[in-house]
Amino acid sequence: MTGATSMDVSRRALLGGLAAGLAASGVRAAPSTPRHGGSIRVASIATSTADTLDPAKGNNSTDYMRHYMLYSGLTQYDGQLRGRPGLAERMETRDNVNWSIRLRRGVHFHNGKPLSAEDVVWSLMRHRDPKTGSKVANIAEQFAGARATGPLDLQVRLTGPNPELPAILAGSHFVIIENGRRDFSTANGTGPYICRAFAPGIRTVVTRNPNYWKPGRPYLDRIELIGISDEISRVNALLSGDVQMINAVSPGSVKRVRASAAHQLMETPSGIYTDLIMRADNPVTSNPDFILAMKYLTDRELIKRALFRGYATIGNDQPIPPFHPMYNSNIPQRPFDPERARFHLRKAGLQNVRLPIYVSQAANASVDMGSILQEHAAQIGLKLAVNRVPGDGYWATHWMKHPLTYGNNNARATADLTFTLNYQSQAAMNTTGWHNPRFDRLLAEARASTDIARRKAIFGELQWLVHEYCGVSIPAFITLLDGYDRRLKGLFPIPLGGFMGYTFAEYVWWDA
Amino acid sequence: MLHAARRLPLSGKIGLAIVLFWLMVALIGPFIAPYTPGAFVSEEVFAGSSGKFWFGSDFLGRDVLSRLLVGARFTVGLSVLAATLACATGTGLALTAAVGPRWVDELLSRAMDTMISIPGKVFALVMVAAFGSSLMLLTLIVAITYVPGNFRIARSLAVGLARLDYVEVARARGEGRLHLALVEMLPNMIRPLFADIGLRFVFIVLLLSGLSFLGLGLQPPDADLGSLVRENVSGLGEGALAVLVPALAIASLTVSVNLLIDAATQGKAR
Amino acid sequence: MSGSASAQRPTWIAPLRLIAARIGAALLTLLLVSMVIFAISGLLPGDAAQEALGQGATAGQIAALRHEMGLDQPGPVRYVRWLGGIVKGDPGTSIVANQPVSKIISERLPNTLRLAALTSMVAVPLAFLIGVFSAIARGRRLDRALNVLTLSMVALPEFLVATLAVLLFAVKLRWLPSIALVPQEPTLGEFLRAYTMPVISLAVIVVAQMARMIRAAIIAELDRPYVEMARLKGVRPGRLIFRHVLPNAIGPIVNAMALSLSYLFGGAIIVETIFSYPGLASLMVNAVTSRDMPLLQACAMIFCATYLLLVLIADTVAILANPQLRKG
């Protein structure tokens, strides 16, 4: 390798393929020039007393949105999930282990304090302190150390090579707070909006930050963020004009939103999926033939048609979606084939067993997926008892704790993150508990490699290993649906999540 | 029986007919359902009425009629059981309190106050979170929720009665407490109590649907009438049969039960 | 015995003693509830540390956070500490929101009280009128019409009624807002518009329940011999109802009212959810789901105290109104 690679260049080269895949839904030329002013109310899926101004504790889309309004990251996602320069002007590395970061000059926190390298060191390293209660502590474990080398310069050292660091740092948990800040009763960030009112479980009110480091931005004067957990009520609030933007429109409500002349729908194909988890530590669900039987028993077409009304991408029992640059298109699509499932079941000697299967509203669409699977299983002599359990406590008490459970996986910015967090045998969240030495070895190799073609080949093989051997059935990737008032302009999908990967606040303007 | 039914006013007869209809559905519904309630039989979701699917299809393309026929059994069975359980327990305890020693009354009243002051839906939420959702647990939760309410009504009636002269006379006669409670007092409480049972039945049906709104109802693919309404409520805007039919079923059930009870209790007065 | 004792004392002593006893009993109940709530919350699987860290938590993180939150202390120790705080007026700190429970509740309690008060203002007179008139007109056309009215009011699940109302009045006609988020300083118009649908949705249920119990209570009284006697003596029906029947039926009537009105606190959960109204019921559900025990317990205590207060008022009214009970 010759010298340092600038992040901008290396990222574009790395994720270049994604640009083509998303061209259709990517950045569109703005139809009119942005204008200042306007005040909107946004309703997200949930609000509770757990709402927080501490980015490390962000727990759901409402939190992520709030944090992107108030804080900025070292990098920022664009429509192709590239980590664009944010507070970091440059990020350079020779070995993907030691990174030197140069900060943008003249950035100020909302309280007037100028941004310095110490703030960044604090913001990154606090995730490693258990007392912080960080949601991304497992990702932050790779931060071996960070130190300021000048007022605007710092060095970050990783525990092993990771070329994806710029994309990781664009996540909402890694946004930058003030050095030493532990009290989050109010927010002091460098973000596009300033916190005016914050009542957990009720509302967040923010107003335009006139000193934002991006000249001219943001455009709106004021945003009020609330949560409406009931989907029907959320759509009603949009259609009645009480809110101007909502996320998580259910496919069943699409017709209603489309029928309204004053509203529009944004589709964001995402890597988010709901998966059936067959634990490797149970004699039945670890049986390779049982695993294959369940995979063949998954009626992907029906799930896509009935549960998602077409707003989904068919999955192939591996976690990388087709529009991802690392997607392996050579793995044949697994069909719905009850006869084949019956064959594998018989081969495993497991006809007429009775198994509980845990579903919950906490895992999106799992209640209905479980019902569908149960129905088809009954027809080949396999008795599945669907146990619907409450959403609260689901992740702690049920998910991964029984032989058959459903789970949800968020879209990750990179294939590496997806595999590292959920499929590596040592991972704390290795959901199926499978252990595949070849998989682990290849993953480590991919990380160390800077050769893009090689990495893609390895990630392709990892997908095949999961597709064939891992006790996970991934029927579909969910297409996220946001509804908004037509007068709201400047939106484009960022495939990480709804509301432009939660970052809409600094991009949108009100055209009225 | 038949004689009594013939003497009912028209509203009572209508009520009786509908109640009998739903009891019948609860008994034989699952046997006459044209499809398995969980089967995905229609390509179209929220389809309208057709020869193949009389009440159309639901949000997943399942047959609404079949799900209704099976769902009615859960709603009717569970509600009847829970209402009976709640009122029998509540009234029994109330009579015990009214004729028993002072401390029993105090103890029961405190216990009931403690129970009733915890909101039903929150209680259900906690119990389901703690023990998981099952048919039996659901019946128990609902029954327990409505015991204290019935207790308060019944106790206030019974205490009123206990002070009346004829009860005092019976007491002076040396009648036992059991006799006082069952022979002297209970018959005079029956009418308001019946009104209470009727309304409590309605509230149980509605509490069940409220629980399904909060995601605490029956286990899928089973669904009571309230769950059917809830799971198809997104079709409300387009007037889907999948939501209208179970809603109508609930309405007809609750109204008819009360019409019947009203008529029956009034009939006795004449 | 008690009868002869009270005969020598002024007549107000006995009812006062009764009421004092009721207050004592209410306080005892409150203590019982605190224990029950504490015990029930112990049944919940998982705890705040797990819920807070969610899907991606490791065992080490959970242990650290649990210690931080004081969850590793034994149950009785936590109970006594908490009860001591309550008595001193400090319900502790929410372990999820990391704010004083009193602060969180103070943001919600006025909302719940306002909604309950508005609903009562609509529901109580309405229920009373319906109940009295249908009792007087027992068996006649008016009674039957009112009966069908109250029955159809509670014939449908409340989430369906509320959703239908929103579809009609907010989405279709755009007369009323679909969510009851009242601005910080509302005008009277905004205030009324925001509250109309939640109040009606709640009132419908409460009115039906109250009206039917009031009717039943009055009818039970009407069937008493003394009413027949008074009728034979030629007492006019209006006078009969208001001078003789109502005072005697007041016990069950206020009882029914207390029961129904207590529903406006905890039972408002569905209305709060559909209209995104930040009240106490949704706060408590929130506390259950996030395993925020101090908050859960504080909410439960408020619901319980409110209920006991309502019942205390009902009992007091009943004692003061009923000559028989007044004797002790």
Side-chain angles (χ1 to χ4, degrees), chain A residues 41 47-51 57 59 130-131 133-135 137-138 141 198-203 224 226-230 232-233 236-243 256 262-263 391-397 399 407-410 428-429, chain C residues 44-46 50-58 60-61 64-65 68 94 96-99 103-104 107-108 111 163 166-167 170-171 174 176-179 181-184 273-276 278 283 286-292 295:
Chain A
R41 190 188 275 150
T47 179
S48 77
T49 50
D51 289 357
K57 290 206 172 91
N59 189 35
K131 279 205 192 102
S134 170
K135 296 279 182 184
N138 46 359
E141 269 169 24
F198 173 61
I202 303 176
R203 58 159 71 84
E224 179 178 355
I226 60 168
I228 305 181
S229 57
D230 182 44
I232 308 281
S233 306
N236 286 339
L238 177 75
L239 296 183
S240 64
D242 293 308
V243 302
R256 294 183 61 207
H263 298 94
D392 55 299
Y394 181 73
W395 303 116
T397 43
W399 179 63
N408 257 156
N409 262 59
N410 278 326
M429 288 300 116
Chain C
L44 290 172
Q50 279 178 333
E51 282 302 313
L53 292 173
Q55 224 176 333
T58 62
Q61 274 180 294
L65 192 61
E68 178 97 356
S94 157
V96 174
N98 215 359
Q99 285 186 1
K103 179 170 178 281
I104 301 177
E107 277 169 357
R108 306 275 195 134
N111 290 339
T163 308
V166 170
L167 274 181
V171 178
R174 295 224 173 186
L176 297 167
S178 66
I179 43 176
L181 271 185
V182 187
Q184 309 290 347
T273 306
I274 287 188
F275 295 103
S276 294
L283 185 68
N286 182 196
V288 174
T289 53
S290 59
R291 307 289 186 263
D292 192 347
L295 189 58

Side-chain angles (χ1 to χ4, degrees), chain A residues 315-329:
Chain A
N316 199 14
D317 299 331
Q318 59 81 14
I320 306 299
F323 49 80
H324 195 283
M326 291 293 167
Y327 177 69
N328 181 351
S329 55

Side-chain angles (χ1 to χ4, degrees), chain A residues 164-307:
Chain A
E164 319 268 21
L165 187 65
I168 291 172
L169 292 181
S172 75
H173 296 99
F174 291 110
V175 293
I176 302 308
I177 60 169
E178 202 185 348
N179 185 16
R181 166 76 64 168
R182 285 196 174 88
D183 167 36
F184 289 95
S185 53
T186 186
N188 182 32
T190 59
Y193 291 88
I194 300 172
C195 183
R196 291 299 170 204
F198 173 61
I202 303 176
R203 58 159 71 84
T204 309
V205 178
V206 299
T207 55
R208 182 170 189 270
N209 175 7
N211 302 316
Y212 189 46
W213 51 271
K214 284 188 190 171
R217 286 200 183 163
Y219 305 111
L220 296 171
D221 285 338
R222 182 178 179 277
I223 303 177
E224 179 178 355
L225 178 63
I226 60 168
I228 305 181
S229 57
D230 182 44
E231 195 264 345
I232 308 281
S233 306
R234 199 161 57 241
V235 173
N236 286 339
L238 177 75
L239 296 183
S240 64
D242 293 308
V243 302
Q244 285 70 44
M245 196 173 171
I246 60 171
N247 70 342
V249 173
S250 91
S253 302
V254 165
K255 223 199 249 175
R256 294 183 61 207
V257 180
R258 289 221 195 279
S260 162
H263 298 94
Q264 214 155 7
L265 210 63
M266 180 165 76
E267 293 174 36
T268 309
S270 81
I272 297 174
Y273 59 83
T274 298
D275 55 344
L276 173 67
I277 297 160
M278 296 163 259
R279 288 290 298 178
D281 47 18
N282 178 284
V284 175
T285 52
S286 64
N287 185 313
D289 280 298
F290 178 82
I291 292 176
L292 282 175
M294 298 305 274
K295 289 182 177 184
Y296 280 111
L297 207 52
T298 303
D299 191 344
R300 292 157 223 267
E301 293 292 343
L302 178 66
I303 288 172
K304 181 179 172 181
R305 189 185 71 229
L307 264 48

Side-chain angles (χ1 to χ4, degrees), chain A residues 408-454:
Chain A
N408 257 156
N409 262 59
N410 278 326
R412 314 278 182 198
T414 69
D416 180 30
L417 270 181
T418 304
F419 285 127
T420 306
L421 288 175
N422 296 114
Y423 294 90
Q424 198 184 19
S425 52
Q426 264 79 47
M429 288 300 116
N430 175 9
T431 49
T432 61
W434 82 319
H435 181 88
N436 189 314
R438 180 165 168 75
F439 180 94
D440 292 349
R441 207 172 51 242
L442 283 170
L443 185 59
E445 198 184 312
R447 272 201 170 176
S449 166
T450 44
D451 176 0
I452 290 149
R454 176 78 192 125

Side-chain angles (χ1 to χ4, degrees), chain C:
Chain C
M1 246 191 47
S2 61
S4 66
S6 68
Q8 284 141 28
R9 290 192 198 135
T11 45
W12 50 267
I13 289 280
L16 220 59
R17 267 181 47 202
L18 257 180
I19 293 166
R22 292 292 150 93
I23 294 175
L27 289 176
L28 181 70
T29 310
L30 211 55
L31 186 71
L32 281 176
V33 166
S34 73
M35 287 181 201
V36 170
I37 290 287
F38 212 86
I40 287 185
S41 52
L43 296 174
L44 290 172
D47 62 25
Q50 279 178 333
E51 282 302 313
L53 292 173
Q55 224 176 333
T58 62
Q61 274 180 294
I62 293 176
L65 192 61
R66 203 172 271 160
H67 181 72
E68 178 97 356
M69 291 170 161
L71 296 173
D72 48 356
Q73 302 274 346
V77 173
R78 280 182 284 135
Y79 173 70
V80 170
R81 193 178 294 165
W82 168 75
L83 196 65
I86 289 274
V87 173
K88 280 186 237 134
D90 170 28
T93 303
S94 157
I95 46 188
V96 174
N98 215 359
Q99 285 186 1
V101 167
S102 50
K103 179 170 178 281
I104 301 177
I105 286 183
S106 68
E107 277 169 357
R108 306 275 195 134
L109 186 60
N111 290 339
T112 287
L113 291 177
R114 206 175 299 127
L115 183 59
L118 287 172
T119 310
S120 308
M121 277 162 56
V122 174
V124 169
L126 203 61
F128 193 76
L129 285 179
I130 294 178
V132 169
F133 277 108
S134 51
I136 295 175
R138 167 156 60 144
R140 291 204 296 268
R141 198 175 296 161
L142 176 67
D143 180 28
R144 265 181 272 143
L146 288 174
N147 189 25
V148 170
L149 178 75
T150 52
L151 276 182
S152 46
M153 279 158 94
V154 287
L156 288 172
E158 54 182 317
F159 72 83
L160 186 68
V161 176
T163 308
L164 265 173
V166 170
L167 274 181
L168 184 63
F169 296 112
V171 178
K172 195 94 191 150
L173 299 171
R174 295 224 173 186
W175 290 350
L176 297 167
S178 66
I179 43 176
L181 271 185
V182 187
Q184 309 290 347
E185 279 161 23
T187 63
L188 186 66
E190 281 174 333
F191 184 82
L192 290 179
R193 271 164 46 87
Y195 275 99
T196 302
M197 278 202 286
V199 163
I200 290 177
S201 309
L202 269 178
V204 157
I205 299 160
V206 179
V207 164
Q209 191 178 21
M210 263 197 281
R212 293 175 65 81
M213 293 314 295
I214 290 171
R215 175 182 177 275
I218 294 177
I219 284 179
E221 204 62 32
L222 283 174
D223 288 347
R224 294 277 178 80
Y226 78 88
V227 176
E228 200 57 35
M229 214 116 79
R231 252 196 213 122
L232 289 176
K233 277 190 198 152
V235 180
R236 285 213 325 278
R239 190 181 155 77
L240 183 71
I241 292 281
F242 287 99
R243 295 283 306 190
H244 298 278
V245 173
L246 272 182
N248 278 309
I250 209 84
I253 288 179
V254 288
N255 231 314
M257 283 184 176
L259 278 178
S260 302
L261 293 185
S262 72
Y263 181 83
L264 296 180
F265 290 80
I269 172 66
I270 287 174
V271 166
E272 284 183 17
T273 306
I274 287 188
F275 295 103
S276 294
Y277 187 73
L280 273 188
S282 50
L283 185 68
M284 184 159 170
V285 169
N286 182 196
V288 174
T289 53
S290 59
R291 307 289 186 263
D292 192 347
M293 298 315 165
L295 189 58
L296 168 64
Q297 289 145 359
C299 289
M301 291 303 276
I302 291 179
F303 288 139
C304 173
T306 320
Y307 168 77
L308 290 173
L309 192 68
L310 285 169
V311 166
L312 196 65
I313 295 171
D315 282 352
T316 308
V317 172
I319 288 168
L320 294 178
N322 190 329
Q324 251 117 25
L325 280 178
R326 201 159 27 188
K327 273 187 218 141

